[in-house]
Amino acid sequence: MCARFSLTSPIEAIRQIFGFKERPNLPPAYNIAPTNYILALRINIDDGVALSAFQAHWGLIPKWAKDGSVTAKLINARSETVDQKPSFREAFSTRRCIIPANGFFEWRKDLDGEKQPYYFQASDVSLFVFAGLWEKWTSPNGEQIESCTILTEPATEDVAPIHSRKPVTVKVDYIDEWLSGTDRQSIPSISMQERFTFYPVHKKVGNVRENNATY
């Protein structure tokens, strides 16, 4: 599961890596939580080649949803079943995105029974991307909301000491294959994903209102 992450790189640094033309107002975010609006990148709808940036509600709202109440339950999509679940099936084959991050948080129970948060960073790069899906939903009153979810999979040995699952990431060299893919064969293999290191951080990160660099 991935339920908190950070994105603190300046927008211009992110633009240099991914080449999108948009310049969204993006202050540093040290503790991004579900239902926040987050930066995501997708293939430009107009030319089908370049990347474009958009801000999406974290927690996917399927097209057929009667309201947005399901969103908090759909912040992650299990890669093992993403092509089968009605909530994700269409987006998986036609609406993929990547979600930039500098790190993510996971929790593990300590010997005293309390949950200790840990912060994960990519071993080789300071900025990486999650594999995501996006959707556009129209509310009963006509409002259009773009939303997204992050793919997860069973943890590899670099994450397993803390949590049984991990977010699916996409190395830069594989981004085109992921975004243009339509089936399970295009889910990044372990060799096309980032490796991670982790360290414990202050428990106050569990409060979604805590959003600073003092963890």
Side-chain angles (χ1 to χ4, degrees), residues 11-186:
I11 188 63
E12 287 305 313
I14 303 173
R15 288 181 71 246
Q16 286 183 8
I17 295 173
F18 298 106
F20 54 87
K21 64 181 181 180
E22 297 82 6
R23 287 182 168 86
N25 181 19
L26 199 70
Y30 296 91
N31 191 8
I32 299 170
T35 73
N36 288 170
Y37 273 81
I38 62 177
L39 178 70
L41 310 176
R42 62 190 170 198
I43 294 176
N44 189 294
I45 296 173
D46 294 329
D47 65 21
V49 178
L51 291 181
S52 63
F54 66 110
Q55 291 183 286
H57 180 277
W58 185 18
L60 192 130
I61 308 174
K63 279 186 176 181
W64 44 260
K66 294 181 179 179
D67 56 49
S69 62
V70 299
T71 183
K73 299 178 181 178
L74 300 179
I75 63 169
N76 292 155
R78 295 174 71 95
S79 61
E80 302 95 314
T81 57
V82 66
D83 58 340
Q84 304 167 27
K85 297 293 185 181
S87 297
F88 306 122
R89 187 168 53 215
E90 185 180 342
F92 179 68
S93 63
T94 60
R95 287 182 291 280
R96 297 183 176 189
C97 63
I98 54 173
I99 298 166
N102 294 106
F104 65 93
F105 299 93
E106 294 292 0
W107 279 255
R108 182 182 69 180
K109 278 189 178 182
D110 282 349
L111 294 177
D112 59 7
E114 293 190 11
K115 289 187 176 180
Q116 169 63 51
Y118 293 83
Y119 186 62
F120 287 78
Q121 293 177 304
S123 301
D124 300 323
V125 293
S126 60
L127 178 72
F128 61 92
V129 295
F130 300 122
L133 311 175
W134 66 276
E135 188 61 89
K136 181 181 286 187
W137 176 74
T138 303
S139 71
N141 64 9
E143 179 185 10
Q144 290 194 332
I145 297 175
E146 291 189 316
S147 61
C148 65
T149 189
I150 294 172
L151 262 67
T152 66
E153 64 185 0
T156 45
E157 66 271 15
D158 52 330
V159 178
I162 305 301
H163 201 275
S164 61
R165 296 190 67 79
K166 62 177 284 292
V168 176
T169 59
V170 189
K171 285 189 174 181
V172 172
D173 292 344
Y174 196 74
I175 287 174
D176 288 345
E177 285 81 358
W178 162 248
L179 291 178
S180 61
T182 60
D183 57 24
R184 296 187 53 80
Q185 298 302 315
S186 52

